[in-house]
């Protein structure tokens, strides 16, 4: 039977092996086992290599409830040593260190300034412009509410003047700025003995106030308190601690 099946060419490969086993069972004999060569080829197809998971390298991760600054560790594979350049051409970063042979970007130092886009209009110039909000590098502009020296003539002599007092006397209007600056004008100051508090003074306004026996008090732009008074409590506290 075996020879007939083979000669007929009806069975090939694995189906031939199965047919041989069935023939032996029909004859009452032991089943024919596959040869060692066939079994070794079939075992090669199965992957027996151990897969190493880099996420579970080393000790297991601690529980979230037990995390402290003492048991924090870097994620496995996240820390890399610095790339060594200029240490031979075989390393791949040897002669030119990855910067190419010639050109502006291969020279030492920074090739271009920050914000440079190759000659086209840079981003800080393409953005829309707003009044009172300058853009671009190097711009720092402080906007003051202007108080003319002539508005101080509505105050009484020897009084203490700030922007709130001027607003109460209706010498100025409500301001949208948080800081003010006293400037000179064509009308001269006629009130004497004023103590004027503002965040800035022009030289001409300061001269007029001091010529009339007044005093100029410069306020801080952040705390709105007279400059020099803020450091006094700190110095007093330091002196008391030393004593």
């Amino acid at each position: 039977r075996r020879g007939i099946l083979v000669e007929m060419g009806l069975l090939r490969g694995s189906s031939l092996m199965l047919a041989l086993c069935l023939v032996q069972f029909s004859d009452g004999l032991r089943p024919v086992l596959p040869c060692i060569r066939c079994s070794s080829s079939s075992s090669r197809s199965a992957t027996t290599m151990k897969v190493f998971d880099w996420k579970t390298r080393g000790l297991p991760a601690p529980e979230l409830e037990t995390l402290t600054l003492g048991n924090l560790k870097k994620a496995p594979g996240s820390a890399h040593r610095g790339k060594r350049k200029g240490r031979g051409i075989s390393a791949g970063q040897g002669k030119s260190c990855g910067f190419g042979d010639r050109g502006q970007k291969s020279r030492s130092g920074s090739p271009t300034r920050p914000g440079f886009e190759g000659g086209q209009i840079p981003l800080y110039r393409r953005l829309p412009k707003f009044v009172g909000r300058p853009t671009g590098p190097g711009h720092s502009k402080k906007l003051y509410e202007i108080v003319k020296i002539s508005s101080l003539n509505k105050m009484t002599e020897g009084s203490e003047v700030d922007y709130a007092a001027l607003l109460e006397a209706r010498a100025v209007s409500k301001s949208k700025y948080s800081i003010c600056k006293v400037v000179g004008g064509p009308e001269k100051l006629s009130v004497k003995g004023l103590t004027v508090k503002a965040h800035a003074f022009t030289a001409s306004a300061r001269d007029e106030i001091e010529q009339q026996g007044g005093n100029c008090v410069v306020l801080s732009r952040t705390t709105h308190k007279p400059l020099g008074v803020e450091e006094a409590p700190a110095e007093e506290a330091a002196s008391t601690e030393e004593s």
Side-chain angles (χ1 to χ4, degrees), residues 17 27 50 62 71 94 100 104 113 116 126 135 146 152 172 181 195 208-209:
M17 187 180 297
D27 294 341
K50 182 179 178 181
N71 57 11
Q104 184 182 12
R113 67 177 185 277
F116 183 70
R126 295 198 302 268
T135 58
I146 301 301
L152 302 180
V172 293
K181 182 176 184 179
T195 302
E208 285 191 44
I209 294 172

Side-chain angles (χ1 to χ4, degrees), residues 83-100:
K83 184 176 291 187
R84 300 174 72 245
K85 294 186 176 184
R87 297 298 185 270
I89 60 174
S90 62
Q93 298 287 333
K95 179 177 70 68
S96 58
C97 301
F99 291 98

Side-chain angles (χ1 to χ4, degrees), residues 84-146:
R84 300 174 72 245
K85 294 186 176 184
R87 297 298 185 270
I89 60 174
S90 62
Q93 298 287 333
K95 179 177 70 68
S96 58
C97 301
F99 291 98
D101 291 333
R102 290 177 297 276
Q104 184 182 12
K105 293 185 178 180
S106 68
R107 312 303 181 190
S108 63
S110 179
T112 57
R113 67 177 185 277
F116 183 70
E117 299 183 14
Q120 71 177 14
I121 301 299
L123 177 64
Y124 69 89
R125 292 182 59 191
R126 295 198 302 268
L127 293 176
K129 311 301 186 296
F130 298 98
V131 176
R133 296 183 183 179
T135 58
H139 281 281
S140 59
K141 184 178 180 181
K142 299 177 182 62
L143 299 177
Y144 294 92
E145 178 65 27
I146 301 301

Side-chain angles (χ1 to χ4, degrees), residues 21-83:
C21 293
L22 293 175
V23 170
Q24 293 295 337
F25 272 119
S26 64
D27 294 341
L29 302 176
R30 294 181 62 186
V32 179
L33 298 176
C35 62
I36 300 175
R37 183 179 298 174
C38 298
S39 62
S40 62
S41 62
S42 62
S43 64
R44 271 188 226 133
S45 61
T47 303
T48 58
M49 184 176 63
K50 182 179 178 181
V51 179
F52 186 76
D53 189 2
W54 65 272
K55 293 183 180 180
T56 59
R57 189 179 300 169
L59 298 176
E63 298 294 334
L64 292 178
E65 293 79 8
T66 61
L67 280 178
T68 61
L69 294 177
N71 57 11
L72 287 179
K73 295 182 179 179
K74 295 180 180 179
S78 64
H80 300 274
R81 65 177 180 85
K83 184 176 291 187

Side-chain angles (χ1 to χ4, degrees), residues 118-188:
Q120 71 177 14
I121 301 299
L123 177 64
Y124 69 89
R125 292 182 59 191
R126 295 198 302 268
L127 293 176
K129 311 301 186 296
F130 298 98
V131 176
R133 296 183 183 179
T135 58
H139 281 281
S140 59
K141 184 178 180 181
K142 299 177 182 62
L143 299 177
Y144 294 92
E145 178 65 27
I146 301 301
V147 178
K148 293 185 179 180
I149 198 75
S150 59
S151 60
L152 302 180
N153 291 328
K154 296 184 179 181
M155 308 303 293
T156 59
E157 292 187 2
S159 61
E160 187 173 310
V161 181
D162 56 2
Y163 198 84
L166 292 172
L167 189 62
E168 186 178 357
R170 295 189 178 183
V172 293
S173 59
K174 189 175 180 180
S175 173
K176 64 178 181 180
Y177 303 110
S178 60
I179 53 179
C180 62
K181 182 176 184 179
V182 181
V183 298
E187 187 178 349
K188 301 300 181 181

